[in-house]
Amino acid sequence: MGTLETTVLTAEDRLAIHQLLAEYSVYEDSGAAQEWAALFTSDGRFVSKAGKETVGREALAAFATERWKRPEVRRWVHWVNNVTIKPVPEGAEAFSYAMVVEKSEDGTFSIVNVQAKRDTLRVEDGAWRFHVRRVEVLQAS
């Protein structure tokens, strides 16, 4: 697995990072606040589109718990696509698109939001984790 001095990512590193991105959406969409927060480094940061930062696992878990109380959030699912990953000396950087889809009471789905995610990733305790996860407005090319 990668180290803090990583300049090349192995196939195992890339697979682990893709798994991390998938678990993020699954935990976010199921209200699993503790599991979601555990995907970040101990000093990890989540930065919303509005620029609000939440820092550290305890604060991240509290943020996710509060978020899950919103009724509309319980109807949302996230699809992540177009993932790019590149090595950097401190670990890795990833970029992806995310689409938020809402299930209505009649069982139909509609797109609520499309956004980008920009991630700084580190290995902590032998596993890839989000050090910084930024939600960005998706810009058309």
Side-chain angles (χ1 to χ4, degrees):
M1 193 163 281
T3 67
L4 292 181
E5 292 80 34
T6 299
T7 56
V8 174
L9 296 171
T10 66
E12 290 81 12
D13 288 324
R14 291 178 182 279
L15 183 59
I17 291 168
H18 275 276
Q19 182 68 23
L20 176 69
L21 296 173
E23 287 177 357
Y24 180 96
S25 292
V26 168
Y27 295 150
E28 181 176 36
D29 294 341
S30 64
Q34 294 297 326
E35 292 85 349
W36 180 83
L39 298 176
F40 288 81
T41 59
S42 57
D43 62 345
R45 293 186 342 230
F46 174 80
V47 184
S48 73
K49 270 191 299 192
K52 183 179 185 297
E53 289 192 23
T54 305
V55 181
R57 286 192 184 130
E58 187 175 319
L60 288 162
F63 167 84
T65 298
E66 284 303 309
R67 181 184 176 278
W68 189 247
K69 291 177 182 177
R70 295 171 35 204
E72 73 276 12
V73 169
R74 293 171 180 256
R75 296 187 302 268
W76 293 350
V77 291
H78 291 72
W79 263 267
V80 178
N81 205 341
N82 294 356
V83 175
T84 61
I85 304 167
K86 67 178 184 176
V88 295
E90 302 80 23
E93 291 178 351
F95 180 84
S96 59
Y97 299 144
M99 179 172 53
V100 182
V101 179
E102 182 174 60
K103 183 178 181 182
S104 67
E105 290 188 24
D106 67 3
T108 60
F109 291 86
S110 58
I111 298 171
V112 174
N113 192 350
V114 180
Q115 54 195 219
K117 302 279 178 69
R118 189 171 305 279
D119 305 311
T120 303
L121 307 165
R122 304 281 184 270
V123 173
E124 185 175 271
D125 297 327
W128 282 99
R129 297 287 176 243
F130 295 102
H131 183 62
V132 179
R133 176 149 249 220
R134 287 185 194 285
V135 180
E136 300 179 353
V137 174
L138 186 60
Q139 300 294 330
S141 302

